[in-house]
Amino acid sequence: MPESGLLASLADNPYFSAGFGLVGVGTALAVLRKGGQFAFIAFRRHAMITLEVPSKDRSFQWLLQWITLNARKAQHLSVETTFHQNDTGKINTKFDFIPSPGTHFFSYKNHWIRVERSREKGMLDLHTGTPWETVTLTSLGWRRELFFEILAEAQKMALSREEGKTVMYIPMGAEWRQFGFPRRRRPLDSVILANGVTEKILADIKDFIHSPKWYMDRGIPYRRGYLLYGPPGCGKTSFIQALAGELEYSICVMNLSDRSLSDDRLNHLMSIAPQQSIILLEDIDAAFVKREEDEQGGQNMYLNRVTFSGLLNTLDGVASTEERIVFMTTNYLNRLDPALIRPGRVDIKQEIGYAEADQIERMFRRFYPQESDRNARQFARNVSNLGELKSIAQIQGYFMLHKNSPQAALENVNFLKE
Ligand code: ADP
């Protein structure tokens, strides 16, 4: 047969069979390589687990801190410095070492975990000005719970640092950023208000916190507004701090006179405030002049970019199921526009006024616990005989002058005279 003769002669030809062999080897290699790739993809898909956490996510910082503790042998670190000056002027600086961008390994519960911290080139988080980053954890196996456990541990570790503390937030760009170190909680009984005021507000706020369903059933936005007014140094700010401590809430402080704050930003910040936080708008009178005055004066009614109607709109908000607690403070109630303090925007108005005799007595006892009630009453009488109203801050300042001598405090009350 001519065909079989041809095949036989080709097979006998050494050049032809060598070429054929080479093609065969090349094909086999290509198949192997492709197969290897498929196998790796399949392996990654079925036998490896990965978790990607972008820097925008709240877990990101927690996770970095946690990895620092667990990957003790990580040799390549970045430093993160927190700097805080407290009221007394003392400066605290804290250095945290966190794994630097790159790849690190550590073992957790008998699993090897690979950490890759990568920084996107040329991508900035516009809100914070920091590079956009991700941390990716990879491990062998298919137990996804491993990552949940890690995240839960990281969260617990981070929150335990805040235990017993009140966290303050301030606006930074379009988001809330923690301000300084969490502060030790201020005990509620360290703020001495007129009889019954603390109890009344605490009961109201607790009742509010415990009744989301009541609001939802009636289609009422779940928010409550409080206005504390009165002269400076009488405890408005201290009381809000102590309340937050008592409720284990954080405080988001917003200064409406901030010129970089616009209506949109205000609205946005309000809607993304951390859960379980009190929003504090301090010295609300300073941000706006009364509308009538403005209309008469014909001047620009706004001292900054937040407009009065913008603030009202933000306070009214869109009906939301999110809990919203807003505290406003002012030294001058009469400077506030009635539209701002009508029910719905401000549900409870409370004066925090000059020290009453009973408060002065309690302050005395708090400062000099070993002294008799008689002396405390005498001190209060001496102060009221001055015929001048005093703030608790003034009384506190006076006690500081007589730290170790209650007797001198009793006798020198005239020092308090203006
Ligand atoms: P306000 O916000 O009314 O101007 P602050 O709360 O800032 O007053 O008080 C200023 C200082 O005076 C703080 O150090 C605070 O401890 C003290 N102080 C003022 N009022 C009280 C009060 N009612 N009880 C205890 N301390 C007070």
Side-chain angles (χ1 to χ4, degrees):
M1 281 224 197
E3 277 160 33
S4 59
L6 182 66
L7 280 178
S9 70
L10 279 178
D12 287 345
N13 182 329
Y15 296 108
F16 183 80
S17 53
F20 204 72
L22 275 179
V23 169
V25 169
T27 314
L29 276 178
V31 167
L32 265 180
R33 206 170 55 222
K34 266 275 170 257
Q37 278 170 357
F38 278 126
F40 184 68
I41 290 170
F43 180 71
R44 246 181 50 173
R45 187 167 295 162
H46 299 293
M48 279 165 100
I49 44 172
T50 57
L51 171 77
E52 194 180 281
V53 185
S55 53
K56 220 167 155 37
D57 195 276
R58 268 201 89 171
S59 303
F60 182 79
Q61 285 300 334
W62 299 344
L63 198 58
L64 281 188
Q65 296 295 345
W66 185 87
I67 292 168
T68 312
L69 264 191
N70 282 274
R72 277 176 210 280
K73 293 203 195 91
Q75 286 172 319
H76 306 284
L77 301 166
S78 304
V79 69
E80 203 177 65
T81 312
T82 350
F83 175 92
H84 173 59
Q85 184 163 22
N86 63 20
D87 302 342
T88 58
K90 187 166 177 279
I91 292 173
N92 290 317
T93 318
K94 203 169 119 239
F95 301 109
D96 276 323
F97 291 106
I98 46 180
S100 64
T103 309
H104 309 265
F105 288 92
F106 66 93
S107 84
Y108 173 72
K109 293 193 177 167
N110 297 328
H111 289 79
W112 272 104
I113 297 186
R114 174 178 183 264
V115 183
E116 194 177 357
R117 181 174 170 202
S118 59
R119 210 166 254 185
E120 297 293 328
K121 282 200 190 75
M123 252 175 86
L124 274 188
D125 182 344
L126 286 180
H127 300 327
T128 59
T130 48
W132 190 267
E133 290 191 23
T134 44
V135 164
T136 311
L137 302 186
T138 309
S139 178
L140 291 178
W142 43 84
R143 222 169 63 82
R144 288 192 314 165
E145 296 78 37
L146 192 69
F147 289 148
F148 288 117
E149 287 161 22
I150 290 180
L151 285 179
E153 254 187 48
Q155 184 204 31
K156 204 167 140 209
M157 194 183 94
L159 294 186
S160 70
R161 285 186 179 193
E162 293 172 4
E163 220 166 68
K165 308 260 174 77
T166 305
V167 180
M168 302 264 285
Y169 292 94
I170 52 168
M172 180 86 80
E175 55 186 52
W176 292 98
R177 274 297 169 106
Q178 193 171 324
F179 176 68
F181 291 108
R183 292 147 201 237
R184 208 171 330 117
R185 268 185 213 145
R186 180 167 182 149
L188 205 50
D189 64 2
S190 78
V191 184
I192 297 171
L193 301 185
N195 248 334
V197 171
T198 302
E199 293 75 10
K200 179 179 109 183
I201 296 192
L202 184 65
D204 185 89
I205 205 165
K206 279 192 169 162
D207 180 57
F208 169 75
I209 290 172
H210 293 130
S211 42
K213 192 171 176 307
W214 189 92
Y215 284 81
M216 224 176 328
D217 288 350
R218 285 158 187 79
I220 305 172
Y222 188 35
R223 59 168 177 254
R224 195 118 180 116
Y226 300 83
L227 173 74
L228 305 184
Y229 63 93
C234 291
K236 298 182 289 295
T237 312
S238 312
F239 179 54
I240 295 166
Q241 274 168 4
L243 260 183
E246 174 74 20
L247 300 169
E248 301 186 14
Y249 271 40
S250 48
I251 304 181
C252 298
V253 190
M254 199 141 37
N255 180 355
L256 293 183
S257 316
D258 178 352
R259 296 188 65 86
S260 70
L261 204 60
S262 63
D263 286 351
D264 283 348
R265 228 183 114 208
L266 175 72
N267 209 339
H268 172 72
L269 285 165
M270 277 295 214
S271 62
I272 59 154
Q275 285 181 346
Q276 306 207 312
S277 62
I278 287 177
I279 295 176
L280 172 56
L281 307 176
E282 273 200 300
D283 295 326
I284 190 120
D285 56 279
F288 306 99
V289 288
K290 242 175 131 191
R291 265 196 300 189
E292 302 96 80
E293 276 172 22
D294 180 70
E295 276 155 18
Q296 284 157 17
Q299 295 157 3
N300 183 3
M301 77 184 263
Y302 310 117
L303 299 177
N304 58 44
R305 289 171 56 209
V306 173
T307 65
F308 188 70
S309 58
L311 173 66
L312 297 189
N313 281 338
T314 301
L315 287 176
D316 296 344
V318 270
S320 84
T321 48
E322 293 279 324
E323 167 192 292
R324 189 65 60 239
I325 299 173
V326 180
F327 269 84
M328 297 181 225
T329 66
T330 178
N331 296 336
Y332 309 97
L333 179 65
N334 56 359
R335 288 191 191 166
L336 297 184
D337 194 298
L340 178 62
I341 50 178
R342 69 146 211 244
R345 292 179 183 141
V346 168
D347 301 287
I348 298 229
K349 299 181 203 57
Q350 178 63 53
E351 180 176 13
I352 309 286
Y354 286 115
E356 294 173 6
D358 159 72
Q359 283 167 278
I360 300 175
E361 257 185 73
R362 280 190 276 153
M363 274 297 275
F364 187 89
R365 275 194 235 119
R366 202 177 158 82
F367 256 81
Y368 310 110
Q370 69 286 12
E371 285 296 296
S372 68
D373 287 354
R374 208 172 122 251
N375 280 351
R377 273 197 300 278
Q378 184 60 48
F379 178 76
R381 256 198 309 277
N382 292 355
V383 175
S384 68
N385 286 342
L386 290 174
E388 287 174 6
L389 295 170
K390 295 288 158 208
S391 69
I392 296 271
Q394 282 170 308
I395 310 253
Q396 177 178 293
Y398 174 76
F399 286 155
M400 299 295 276
L401 291 176
H402 304 90
K403 242 194 238 145
N404 304 313
S405 174
Q407 201 54 39
L410 263 171
E411 287 162 9
N412 298 332
V413 170
N414 270 338
F415 279 14
L416 263 170
K417 231 171 154 56
E418 297 265 285

